Amino acid sequence: MTHARTRTPVVAGWFTDAPGPDFRLLGTRCTACASVFFPREDAFCRNPGCTGGELAEVPLSQRGRVWSFTDGRYRPPSPYVSDPQVEWEPYVLVAVELAAERMVVLGQAVPGVSAADLAVGMEVEVVPGVLNEDADTTWTTWHWRPVEVAA
Amino acid sequence: MSGDIAVLGAGMHPWGKWGRSFVEYGTIAARAALTDAGLDWKQVQSVVGADTVRGGYPGHVAGATFAKALGWQGARVTSVYAACASGAQAIGAARAQILAGLADVVLVVGADAAPKGFFAPAGGERPDDPDWLRFRVLGATNPAYFGLYARRRMALHGDTVDDFAQVKVKNAAAGTLNPNARYRRTVSAEEVAASAVVADPLRLLDICATSDGAAALVLTSMDFARRHGTTDPVRIRAVSTVTPTFPRSVLDLPDIATDSAASVEPAPHSFRASIARAAYEEAGIGPEDVSLAEVYDLSTALELEWYEDLGLCGAGEGAKLLRDGTTALGGRIPVNPSGGLASFGEAVPAQAIAQVCELTWQLRGAAGDRQVSGARAGITANQGLFGHGSSVVAVR
């Protein structure tokens, strides 16, 4: 008998729970100076030239361009969760430049993408993903996925 | 110059994996520095310890730990923690005490006994800690960030993996000449290329190890040095411990994202470059005056970035400087004549102090087979997790 796992974001409030094309990373924007923060700042604006405004939740751009990328050929230490009984499967990390926000956001690439598939400047989009699963919970995250070239 | 302090003594415990306590390493380095200075421990008025976090307590209170190990004698005590920049902060604290007239003789000590493998954050469920988060959410180890920088250099500047390997070849060659280095054998580019990829495009031999080791300095006022009979000591002329400016636009560990530059234009220079600029400005010298540099080569590719950040060459010209032989022993500006982290491995709280030990020996003309001829001024550069700048200028 199986039981359904609860889908829980690995960090609360960092991305929407919308499936598919509506998925977005969530940051905050200062209503006084328009600086954007990710991970979100909810208490204070960190712009030293800003007298401080309300911080409002804002979805980040879905698409950006690869600033750089690398991979993890060895199992990272805890608190990264992986099964030591299972052979380590390298994953790719992508740093993505978002034009509108003028910032770079790191994330794992969707499974199946290797470093050889990527290039600096390539367009990618954010998609929902699964970080790991345990007995009761599917821990969700964001992934970067190369945008298919239109046929 | 009135802002100078004297380096009367420098001492180290050799880097390695010795399996003993960091207290023992630090005490040996401290005694070596005191012997080098010709001073007795009881003459030390203040002891500043650079903390290790792996001694059983977060921010292990190193100043008092070393004071106890050397034998309680009542000296003023300070302990500092700034990750990889802890040593520079310890030197900065010592200098401030000397220049303020609070102490004439200060002992600075940093030591570590490092764990094997990747550095990892403290345990528990701590989602308010960016360092914990980058491991939990991304599995982003330190080498992952080094890989990102390396790949970016390849795309922007045309650096090659062979350029990176040549940094290791250069630093390993210098390390063979340093009795305090952990690795004392030459390494070929072929050996680098044959080592396992850790974080694309970087291989095991592109990335520095973690080591046990210790370094200590005896710092004094210029007046004390004269009274002690040292008329021409190595002098520390600048200690840069700056933080970044908002918006910080280069992704840096342990961050998951940069600041946004949507509302404020970033400074024209990166944080790393600003660390060196502050040191040059305080010292009243420029890159053209530098005889040698000790930089934090956590990875081979990162050393090339430091060339540019120190102003030794223009943006994107780091690999050319290396290829020209400018930064090798015998070149115009040797970088990491000690052998660097490539030959030492990182002993976090000791490392920035060890950089100044190397400057001291070089500026004294006492660096043996790795001596930089005619060395008159040297600069160190380093950076601690979370935004701690670290750069020291020493002159003779």
Side-chain angles (χ1 to χ4, degrees), chain B:
Chain B
M1 187 184 277
S2 62
D4 285 358
I5 61 168
V7 184
L8 279 201
M12 287 167 66
H13 181 291
W15 264 232
K17 283 282 189 188
W18 309 105
R20 299 198 300 276
S21 160
F22 79 94
V23 182
E24 185 176 332
Y25 308 141
T27 304
I28 287 167
R31 287 189 171 145
L34 286 163
T35 301
D36 185 44
L39 288 172
D40 186 86
W41 157 236
K42 287 181 182 166
Q43 291 174 274
V44 171
Q45 298 155 347
S46 171
V47 57
V48 185
D51 293 333
T52 173
V53 291
R54 284 173 299 282
Y57 297 88
H60 201 303
V61 280
T65 296
F66 294 128
K68 179 183 176 185
L70 290 159
W72 293 123
Q73 48 88 321
R76 178 193 295 266
V77 64
T78 307
S79 295
V80 300
Y81 183 71
C84 297
S86 297
Q89 298 238 328
I91 293 166
R95 184 178 75 139
Q97 292 176 8
I98 291 166
L99 294 179
L102 298 173
D104 265 337
V105 183
V106 184
L107 173 68
V108 175
V109 191
D112 206 359
K116 189 174 160 48
F118 290 121
F119 281 149
E125 191 75 11
R126 300 183 298 104
D128 59 339
D129 174 1
D131 195 38
W132 186 89
L133 280 171
R134 57 132 167 172
F135 280 95
R136 171 67 184 105
V137 178
L138 301 171
T141 60
N142 291 1
Y145 289 82
F146 309 153
L148 291 172
Y149 301 148
R151 179 58 67 181
R152 178 87 180 156
R153 287 194 64 83
M154 292 170 75
L156 240 57
H157 305 314
D159 291 10
T160 66
V161 290
D162 186 59
D163 291 327
F164 303 152
Q166 292 300 335
V167 174
K168 177 71 173 188
V169 171
K170 170 184 78 71
N171 288 348
T176 63
L177 306 174
N178 192 337
N180 286 311
R182 175 177 175 187
Y183 303 107
R184 298 190 58 198
R185 65 171 196 90
T186 56
V187 173
S188 68
E190 291 73 25
E191 285 175 89
V192 179
S195 66
V197 174
V198 174
D200 175 275
L202 297 177
R203 295 174 179 273
L204 192 62
L205 292 181
D206 284 303
I207 294 166
C208 87
T210 60
S211 294
D212 298 357
L217 294 166
V218 176
L219 305 176
T220 75
S221 65
M222 292 303 293
D223 277 349
F224 181 93
R226 263 188 293 277
R227 291 201 301 277
H228 186 64
T230 309
T231 51
D232 185 23
V234 170
R235 288 160 284 164
I236 289 178
R237 184 153 284 178
V239 181
S240 163
T241 55
V242 295
T243 50
T245 58
F246 182 90
R248 192 177 182 187
S249 55
V250 178
L251 186 68
D252 204 354
L253 55 136
D255 294 332
I256 286 173
T258 64
D259 291 334
S260 156
S263 66
V264 181
E265 198 59 32
H269 305 285
S270 70
F271 173 48
R272 266 192 300 271
S274 74
I275 297 168
R277 293 171 70 87
Y280 285 133
E281 187 180 1
E282 190 170 287
I285 69 168
E288 65 282 3
D289 302 310
V290 166
S291 319
L292 71 144
E294 283 283 312
V295 305
Y296 227 57
D297 55 319
L298 291 163
S299 80
T300 50
L302 194 60
E303 176 168 315
L304 302 180
E305 296 215 5
W306 281 118
Y307 296 175
E308 299 160 19
D309 295 333
L310 290 178
L312 305 182
C313 62
E317 296 172 354
K320 179 175 184 302
L321 208 64
L322 175 81
R323 292 181 203 130
D324 292 348
T326 305
T327 58
L329 277 173
R332 184 167 53 82
I333 312 166
V335 176
N336 286 333
S338 69
L341 293 173
S343 302
F344 275 73
E346 191 184 22
V348 174
Q351 215 67 49
I353 300 169
Q355 291 181 320
V356 178
C357 287
E358 179 67 11
L359 292 195
T360 300
W361 292 322
Q362 290 285 353
L363 294 169
R364 283 178 181 169
D369 292 338
R370 63 183 195 284
Q371 180 64 46
V372 175
S373 66
R376 303 298 298 173
I379 186 167
T380 73
N382 161 19
Q383 180 186 355
L385 201 67
F386 291 111
H388 292 94
S390 161
S391 178
V392 174
V393 172
V395 300
R396 180 93 188 270

Side-chain angles (χ1 to χ4, degrees), chain A residues 10-11 14 33-39 46-48 67-81 91 93 95 100-108 115 120 131-132 139 141-142, chain B residues 118-121 124 127 132-133 135-141 143-145 147-149 151-152 155-156 196-201 246 249-251 255-266:
Chain A
V10 63
V11 186
W14 281 18
C33 76
S35 288
V36 177
F37 299 100
F38 181 85
R46 289 193 289 102
N47 173 4
W67 182 84
S68 193
F69 57 95
T70 185
D71 61 13
R73 300 286 180 99
Y74 290 85
R75 193 186 303 276
S78 177
Y80 192 77
V81 179
Y91 60 87
L93 285 170
E101 293 83 359
R102 293 188 72 189
M103 69 192 303
V104 173
V105 178
L106 197 54
Q108 290 188 351
V120 169
L131 183 61
N132 68 289
W139 297 97
T141 188
W142 73 96
Chain B
F118 290 121
F119 281 149
W132 186 89
L133 280 171
F135 280 95
R136 171 67 184 105
V137 178
L138 301 171
T141 60
Y145 289 82
L148 291 172
Y149 301 148
R151 179 58 67 181
R152 178 87 180 156
L156 240 57
V197 174
V198 174
D200 175 275
F246 182 90
S249 55
V250 178
L251 186 68
D255 294 332
I256 286 173
T258 64
D259 291 334
S260 156
S263 66
V264 181
E265 198 59 32

